[in-house]
């Protein structure tokens, strides 16, 4: 599909137009983004996920028994839901696409964005009046209405240091003023795109409401600098140090003079300015799994011969729902495949296939290195046979 092709998902805009005019710039309301939408998840199923161990879930009660805007963290139990009032609370469950294939299928139309930018699909359920208050997120998000209706009000882009309510476990804005013409009620299939830093407030209307939040992540500058420095530090030899050969005698031996600072600055900048190392680090950090415990390593190493035999008999490996893959070309024939925070060099077409949605079947055996690589990915928990996922 051409980036110039109009997309229903984007209200008739092409991907190129959306990325130029809206992505990280301004909101976009899309009526009927998913025509004839049928919600792929029932409220009871979402509540069931919130009761499971290792699934991140939160309950927000505007008037909780312990005070206003009370936040509780899962796993929950039936008694928790039984005590809740008929209105004014919200259940939020993260990474539902990792557990429900029908929810993961909602990601298929978003291929106009880099796959490695995707965070997850968070699903919220709320009876009438349910909300998490006016707030700001520091990531791009598409808010797809799945069930019932929700009123969204936008307050424009706000400063990073905008005052928030103290004493609660939510970053609710102290003041929120709705901008003109930025007040809508979304019905099932409607979607609202919000760039980072945009104040917004969503409230469930007269019936039960479910919203699917497709979020996209980006590391902050402080996270990136720290992470890249740590990665480089693991690669550098101990012999690479500050040097001052040929320096002039100091006017005062206790002074940190400009020349010394310039030498240290040059050492740091020369070390950091390494595009090849930057690419290797970036691939690893952007494919780190959101929940590492979702990857279940094998108890015994995979036998490459057994793997080849299984593929030749018609079986196919599948990617772990919690895994992240990406690739970067090294030259015309080789690439680094990044998988769940690790990187390995392999044939470029093999890397592209593994990082795509293509079947992982016997066709991969055309690459001599495929059995060993597939075995390593299975041992790490990034890949598995379908029945192994059913057992987990």
């Amino acid at each position: 599909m051409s980036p110039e092709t109009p997309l229903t998902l984007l209200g008739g805009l092409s991907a190129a137009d959306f990325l130029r005019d809206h992505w990280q710039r301004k909101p976009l309301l899309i009526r009927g983004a998913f025509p004839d939408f049928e919600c792929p998840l029932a409220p009871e199923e979402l509540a069931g996920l919130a009761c499971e161990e290792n699934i991140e879930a939160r309950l927000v009660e505007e008037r909780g028994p312990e005070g206003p805007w009370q936040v509780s963290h899962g796993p929950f139990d039936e008694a928790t839901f039984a005590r809740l009032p008929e209105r004014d609370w919200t259940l939020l469950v993260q990474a539902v696409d990792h557990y429900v294939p029908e929810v993961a299928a909602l990601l298929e139309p978003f291929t106009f964005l880099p796959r490695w930018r995707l965070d997850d699909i968070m699903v919220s359920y709320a009876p009438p009046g349910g909300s998490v208050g006016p707030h700001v997120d520091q990531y791009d998000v598409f808010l797809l209405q799945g069930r019932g209706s929700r009123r969204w009000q936008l307050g424009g882009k706000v400063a990073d240091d905008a005052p928030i309510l103290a004493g609660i476990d939510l970053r609710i804005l102290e003041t929120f003023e709705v901008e003109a013409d930025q007040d809508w009620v979304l019905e099932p299939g409607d979607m609202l795109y919000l760039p980072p830093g945009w104040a917004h407030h969503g409230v469930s209307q007269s019936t039960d409401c479910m919203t699917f939040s497709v979020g996209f992540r980006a590391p902050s500058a402080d996270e990136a600098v720290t992470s890249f420095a740590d990665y480089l530090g693991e690669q550098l030899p101990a012999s690479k140090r500050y040097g001052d050969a040929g320096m002039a005698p100091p006017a005062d031996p206790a002074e940190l003079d400009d020349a010394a600072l310039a030498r240290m600055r040059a050492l740091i900048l020369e070390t950091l300015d390494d595009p090849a190392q930057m690419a290797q680090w970036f691939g690893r950090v952007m494919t780190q799994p959101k929940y590492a415990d979702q990857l279940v390593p094998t108890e015994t190493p995979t036998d490459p011969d057994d793997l080849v035999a299984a593929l030749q008999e018609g079986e196919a490996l599948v990617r772990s729902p919690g895994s992240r893959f990406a690739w970067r070309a090294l030259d015309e024939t080789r690439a680094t495949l990044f998988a769940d925070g690790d990187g390995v060099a392999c044939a470029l077409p093999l890397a592209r296939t593994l990082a795509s949605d293509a079947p992982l079947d016997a066709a991969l055996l055309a690459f001599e290195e495929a059995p060993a690589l597939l075995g390593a990915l299975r041992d790490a928990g990034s890949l598995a046979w379908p029945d192994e996922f059913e057992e987990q």
Side-chain angles (χ1 to χ4, degrees):
M1 179 175 58
S2 166
E4 304 302 327
T5 304
L7 302 175
T8 301
L9 179 79
L10 299 175
L13 292 178
S14 69
D17 288 342
F18 171 79
L19 293 173
R20 183 193 64 224
D21 298 334
H22 291 275
W23 180 251
Q24 299 217 315
R25 294 181 185 275
K26 61 182 180 180
L28 177 65
L29 172 67
I30 309 127
R31 296 290 187 188
F34 285 74
D36 303 317
F37 185 75
E38 294 185 10
C39 191
L41 193 69
E44 295 77 14
E45 293 175 288
L46 187 69
L49 289 174
C51 294
E52 293 187 17
E53 295 283 350
N54 302 321
I55 292 183
E56 185 180 353
R58 290 170 292 159
L59 180 64
V60 179
E61 300 173 72
E62 188 168 349
R63 285 175 285 277
E66 298 177 11
W69 296 112
Q70 177 181 326
V71 179
S72 307
H73 297 268
F76 302 110
D77 55 29
E78 292 184 7
T80 301
F81 295 112
R83 72 161 179 78
L84 291 171
E86 294 183 356
R87 56 176 297 123
D88 301 336
W89 56 269
T90 299
L91 173 67
L92 306 124
V93 182
Q94 294 289 156
V96 177
D97 53 306
H98 294 186
Y99 308 101
V100 183
E102 294 80 4
V103 174
L106 296 176
L107 297 173
E108 293 174 5
F110 290 92
T111 53
F112 63 92
L113 293 165
R115 188 188 304 265
W116 47 263
R117 276 282 256 127
L118 176 70
D119 190 10
D120 67 1
I121 297 182
M122 181 187 76
V123 181
S124 66
Y125 167 84
S131 166
V132 296
H135 64 284
V136 173
D137 296 316
Q138 294 303 325
Y139 51 82
D140 300 91
V141 64
F142 292 86
L143 300 163
L144 169 63
Q145 192 59 29
R147 178 187 178 100
S149 58
R150 184 182 290 274
R151 182 184 185 185
W152 286 105
Q153 297 174 304
L154 306 188
K157 195 169 177 101
V158 300
D160 291 342
D161 59 353
I164 60 174
L165 295 181
I168 59 174
D169 192 18
L170 289 171
R171 295 184 59 81
I172 297 178
L173 295 168
E174 276 190 3
T175 59
F176 178 75
E177 296 183 7
V178 182
E179 289 197 325
D181 302 320
Q182 302 287 286
D183 187 337
W184 311 285
V185 173
L186 271 62
E187 305 291 344
D190 293 343
M191 188 167 69
L192 175 63
Y193 163 72
L194 291 177
W198 220 273
H200 55 287
H201 186 204
V203 181
S204 176
Q205 298 301 285
S206 59
T207 60
D208 292 358
C209 164
M210 290 183 76
T211 301
F212 295 74
S213 301
V214 183
F216 289 81
R217 61 179 180 167
S220 64
D222 63 324
E223 293 170 339
V225 169
T226 301
S227 175
F228 185 44
D230 288 345
Y231 175 80
L232 279 180
E234 295 172 358
Q235 321 297 320
L236 295 173
S239 59
K240 187 163 186 177
R241 294 174 177 267
Y242 172 87
D244 46 17
M247 70 172 178
D252 182 338
E255 180 188 8
L256 283 171
D257 59 20
D258 290 345
L261 291 176
R263 287 190 290 270
M264 178 52 75
R265 181 173 183 272
L267 172 66
I268 292 174
L269 294 180
E270 289 168 7
T271 302
L272 292 176
D273 189 17
D274 187 329
Q277 290 282 32
M278 174 73 74
Q280 291 296 313
W281 162 78
F282 193 51
R284 285 165 170 79
V285 77
M286 294 307 291
T287 58
Q288 288 178 350
K290 186 178 181 75
Y291 303 106
D293 57 8
Q294 285 187 315
L295 305 183
V296 182
T298 57
E299 294 182 359
T300 58
T302 300
D303 185 322
D305 292 336
D306 291 343
L307 185 145
V308 169
L311 292 176
Q312 290 176 335
E313 290 171 4
E315 294 190 43
L317 288 160
V318 291
R319 301 164 183 85
S320 166
S323 286
R324 303 179 190 274
F325 293 84
W327 64 273
R328 178 173 173 78
L330 296 172
D331 55 35
E332 293 182 357
T333 63
R334 305 287 290 174
T336 301
L337 171 71
F338 299 104
D340 296 322
D342 201 0
V344 60
C346 64
L348 192 154
L350 178 57
R352 292 190 65 171
T353 300
L354 287 167
S356 72
D357 294 326
L360 305 179
D361 54 23
L364 295 177
L365 298 179
F367 301 97
E368 183 178 353
E369 59 201 318
L373 178 54
L374 294 173
L377 291 171
R378 177 174 178 267
D379 291 344
S382 300
L383 303 179
W385 301 112
D387 58 349
E388 291 174 326
F389 280 134
E390 293 170 3
E391 294 169 1
Q392 294 174 12

